[in-house]
């Protein structure tokens, strides 16, 4: 396997220094211009490295969902893009995945940094014991979050009956180059993620040093997400409620829309309003970038994807606007700034809670929780409180809102994968592309991404088995 620290470890001597069993093995000579971390601040600098450790590239999942508009030139140039975007069952995505490795190596970069901190920050100087424990706990949450992305990208979704018998992804517990690892089962990986969270919670605080640092709320939000993915609704509901005790604020997108209404509604005007979804977003438990970590606009949205938003959705209308350029018509991004695609927000936790309430037959409670989110999104002239009479109807309404609210993050992809295993909720995606009708079956192998060729051809001190045939 490639060096997992290649893109993130800016203190190069760490590769040789960390993870050793005794102080006698530390380097006697520090490479010129480099520094061996000794203080807590040194280790903390690694955790908050936004380019290396605080971004989450899930491009292929977004393309598969058709949650963005992709240009014909990109589809022509990037064969893997085209295979996923146009649901080509015959494409050899393994052969195509020789350069699109961002998801895999970004995640394992952050995991490697987490491993380094977990192993070594306990002896950091210029800090209290509580501060050292907190940083180690934050690294465990970061590690578990990245394993969740990997598990729901490169392996089958969790099913209790089969999880112990199917392979997931490599479980790597060391930052050392050449460290041994095992490609564990799906069940083993999920158990490990929950273990990391359980161990971390006692040492976390209500607030971290920055919004990049995990806190109590983000740990419970991650636990709720994982338990929901496992179909453990009581545990997910309990964790969601604990997260909401830490923060239950919801941003009012109707107010944002009214504030910028003139420029949003002006014909042929695409002046960018500031994104409210950045570091100081009121809904944040913790923040993490998507594939990019610099201030920018969002991706553009397909016109058929836009139809799945509710009428009067101020959140959608505040972020995208219909535009035609040449032969292309799409919804163009009209905000600029930063976007919390990879962290945790109260909206996700509210909607996890709503689904868990519905699954446990508290349908009215589920609808109340769902409507608490919707009333902050749907413009008053369009808003009507939703109701449901069956669990299935309630879950479908919740998922409609959740898929729209969390668009461009990993959650809609993970949700659809788990729901596709249930005939009550499985859904075939359809579209028309260049006059051709296309569809994506709930049972398609395309829902699992192939490991990149770099990982397969250079596995290091372990073995990796592809989880798909193409």
């Amino acid at each position: 396997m490639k060096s997992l620290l290649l893109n993130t470890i800016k203190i190069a001597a760490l590769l040789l220094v960390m993870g050793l069993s005794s102080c006698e093995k530390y380097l006697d000579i520090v490479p010129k211009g480099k520094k061996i971390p000794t203080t807590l601040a040194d280790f903390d600098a690694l955790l908050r490295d936004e380019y290396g450790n605080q971004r989450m590239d899930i491009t292929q999942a977004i393309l598969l969902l058709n949650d963005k508009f992709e240009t014909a030139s990109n589809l022509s140039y990037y064969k893997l893009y085209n295979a996923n975007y146009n649901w080509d069952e015959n494409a050899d995505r393994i052969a195509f995945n020789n350069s699109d490795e961002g998801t895999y190596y970004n995640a394992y970069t952050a995991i490697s940094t987490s491993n380094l901190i977990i192993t070594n920050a306990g002896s950091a100087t210029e800090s209290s014991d509580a501060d050292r424990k907190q940083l180690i706990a934050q690294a465990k949450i970061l590690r578990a979050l990245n394993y969740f992305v990997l598990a729901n990208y490169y392996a089958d979704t969790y099913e209790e009956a089969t999880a112990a018998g199917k392979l997931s992804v490599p479980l790597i517990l060391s930052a050392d180059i050449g460290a041994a690892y095992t490609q564990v089962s799906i069940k083993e990986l999920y158990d490990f993620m929950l273990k990391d969270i359980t161990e971390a919670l006692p040492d976390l605080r209500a607030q971290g040093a920055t919004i990049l640092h995990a806190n109590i709320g983000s740990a419970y939000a991650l636990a709720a997400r994982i338990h929901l993915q496992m179909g453990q609704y009581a545990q997910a509901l309990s964790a969601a409620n604990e997260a909401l005790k830490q923060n239950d604020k919801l941003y009012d997108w109707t107010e944002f829309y009214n504030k910028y209404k003139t420029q949003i509604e002006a014909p042929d005007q695409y002046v960018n309003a500031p994104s409210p979804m950045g570091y100081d977003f009121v809904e944040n438990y913790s923040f993490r970038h998507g594939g990019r970590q610099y201030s920018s606009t969002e991706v553009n949205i397909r016109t058929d994807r836009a139809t799945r938003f509710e009428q009067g959705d101020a959140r959608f209308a505040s972020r995208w606007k219909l535009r035609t350029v040449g032969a292309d018509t799409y919804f163009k991004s009209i905000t600029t700034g930063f976007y919390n695609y990879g962290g945790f927000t109260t909206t996700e936790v509210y909607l996890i809670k709503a689904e868990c309430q519905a699954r446990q037959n508290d349908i009215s409670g589920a609808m109340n929780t769902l409507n608490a989110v919707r009333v902050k999104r749907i413009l008053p002239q369009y808003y009507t409180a939703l109701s449901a009479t069956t669990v299935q109807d309630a879950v479908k309404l919740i998922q409609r809102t959740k898929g729209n609210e969390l668009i461009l993050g990993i959650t809609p992809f993970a949700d659809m994968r788990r729901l596709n295993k249930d005939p009550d909720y499985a859904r075939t995606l359809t579209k028309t592309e260049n006059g051709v009708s296309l569809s994506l079956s709930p049972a398609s192998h395309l829902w699992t991404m192939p490991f990149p060729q770099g990982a397969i051809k250079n596995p290091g001190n372990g073995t990796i088995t592809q989880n798909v045939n193409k």
Side-chain angles (χ1 to χ4, degrees):
M1 184 177 292
K2 293 181 179 178
S3 167
L4 300 176
L5 299 178
L6 182 61
N7 294 323
T8 189
I9 302 302
K10 296 181 179 179
I11 305 172
L14 287 174
L15 295 177
L16 297 176
V17 175
M18 293 300 150
L20 302 179
S21 59
S22 65
C23 295
E24 289 79 17
K25 294 183 180 179
Y26 276 40
L27 286 179
D28 294 324
I29 301 174
V30 179
K32 185 177 180 180
K34 307 301 179 184
K35 179 183 179 182
I36 296 173
T38 55
T39 69
L40 191 72
D42 294 336
F43 288 102
D44 183 74
L46 299 175
L47 185 74
R48 67 173 73 192
D49 173 12
E50 293 184 57
Y51 181 82
N53 301 313
Q54 299 295 346
R55 61 192 178 103
M56 183 181 293
D57 181 358
I58 57 164
T59 298
Q60 298 307 319
I62 295 169
L63 288 170
L64 191 77
L65 290 176
N66 271 218
D67 274 353
K68 62 170 290 193
F69 170 79
E70 192 53 86
T71 64
S73 60
N74 272 354
L75 294 174
S76 176
Y77 186 80
Y78 298 108
K79 294 182 179 180
L80 186 62
Y81 280 38
N82 184 68
N84 286 319
Y85 190 73
N86 285 322
W87 306 329
D88 186 353
E89 295 272 358
N90 297 315
D92 187 351
R93 296 182 305 158
I94 294 173
F96 296 160
N97 197 17
N98 57 3
S99 60
D100 194 85
E101 303 176 340
T103 305
Y104 191 86
Y105 288 113
N106 284 353
Y108 276 114
T109 289
I111 288 168
S112 185
T113 300
S114 299
N115 289 338
L116 188 149
I117 292 170
I118 292 164
T119 302
N120 298 283
S123 59
T125 61
E126 300 181 24
S127 64
S128 66
D129 185 55
D131 287 344
R132 288 190 291 269
K133 288 181 177 178
Q134 178 185 224
L135 187 63
I136 291 170
Q138 289 165 337
K140 288 184 177 182
I141 298 302
L142 181 63
R143 181 168 69 179
L145 172 56
N146 279 279
Y147 273 126
F148 179 87
V149 175
L150 290 167
N152 284 280
Y153 208 82
Y154 296 109
D156 199 0
T157 194
Y158 187 96
E159 291 182 280
E160 184 63 32
T162 61
K166 290 184 178 181
L167 286 176
S168 185
V169 301
L171 178 61
I172 301 177
L173 302 177
S174 172
D176 293 344
I177 292 178
Y181 66 87
T182 302
Q183 185 179 0
V184 296
S185 71
I186 294 171
K187 179 173 174 51
E188 287 173 309
L189 190 64
Y190 272 77
D191 288 346
F192 179 80
M193 289 187 284
L194 292 174
K195 177 175 176 287
D196 256 357
I197 297 169
T198 299
E199 291 176 352
L201 270 167
D203 296 318
L204 293 172
R205 300 170 188 167
Q207 298 288 337
T210 72
I211 199 62
L212 301 174
H213 292 74
N215 52 33
I216 295 172
S218 58
Y220 276 118
L222 177 56
R225 182 191 287 181
I226 292 171
H227 281 300
L228 179 65
Q229 199 70 20
M230 299 173 77
Q232 298 175 349
Y233 304 119
Q235 296 94 320
L237 179 58
S238 175
N241 283 330
E242 290 298 324
L244 291 171
K245 289 179 184 178
Q246 300 296 315
N247 180 12
D248 64 356
K249 298 181 180 66
L250 287 167
Y251 186 76
D252 194 332
W253 280 93
T254 66
E255 290 185 1
F256 182 92
Y257 181 89
N258 287 325
K259 181 177 180 179
Y260 294 98
K261 181 177 180 179
T262 300
Q263 68 190 64
I264 289 172
E265 295 184 352
D268 300 320
Q269 182 175 334
Y270 302 95
V271 176
N272 295 316
S275 165
M277 300 166 59
Y279 302 108
D280 59 353
F281 191 38
V282 68
E283 295 187 0
N284 286 344
Y285 292 108
S286 61
F287 179 95
R288 203 163 185 233
H289 298 279
R292 298 173 288 186
Q293 84 293 343
Y294 49 85
S295 179
S296 66
T297 58
E298 301 187 80
V299 299
N300 300 321
I301 301 296
R302 290 175 57 93
T303 55
D304 53 358
R305 177 63 182 86
T307 62
R308 295 185 356 226
F309 286 83
E310 286 191 66
Q311 186 179 20
D313 189 330
R315 189 172 187 268
F316 173 76
S318 297
R319 294 168 65 186
W320 291 285
K321 187 173 181 178
L322 188 64
R323 187 178 192 184
T324 298
V325 178
D328 295 328
T329 298
Y330 52 84
F331 279 82
K332 183 188 182 304
S333 168
I334 58 173
T335 63
T336 187
F338 295 99
Y339 305 88
N340 190 2
Y341 294 142
F344 294 98
T345 64
T346 55
T347 290
E348 178 178 358
V349 175
Y350 270 100
L351 296 172
I352 290 173
K353 176 178 179 175
E355 181 173 344
C356 293
Q357 288 173 306
R359 297 282 191 169
Q360 297 183 99
N361 293 306
D362 181 8
I363 296 174
S364 63
M367 291 297 97
N368 288 339
T369 303
L370 171 61
N371 287 323
V373 175
R374 291 180 61 254
V375 75
K376 299 288 188 178
R377 274 51 176 170
I378 309 303
L379 294 168
Q381 61 268 37
Y382 297 102
Y383 178 80
T384 300
L386 294 176
S387 60
T389 57
T390 68
V391 171
Q392 289 78 13
D393 287 345
V395 170
K396 288 176 182 178
L397 289 171
I398 292 161
Q399 279 299 317
R400 178 183 66 173
T401 293
K402 194 177 181 188
N404 291 335
E405 286 287 323
L406 303 178
I407 190 172
L408 306 181
I410 189 64
T411 300
F413 183 68
D415 277 348
M416 187 164 289
R417 281 161 46 91
R418 69 179 172 88
L419 292 170
N420 278 343
K421 299 293 185 177
D422 186 337
D424 284 338
Y425 305 104
R427 184 158 57 97
T428 296
L429 298 182
T430 61
K431 68 173 180 178
T432 299
E433 200 76 20
N434 298 320
V436 178
S437 297
L438 302 174
S439 64
L440 178 62
S441 161
S444 173
H445 70 274
L446 296 176
W447 289 103
T448 299
M449 301 298 168
F451 288 122
Q453 288 188 33
I456 297 295
K457 293 180 178 179
N458 301 285
N461 193 6
T463 59
I464 303 177
T465 301
Q466 274 286 10
N467 289 324
V468 289
N469 293 323
K470 58 185 177 181

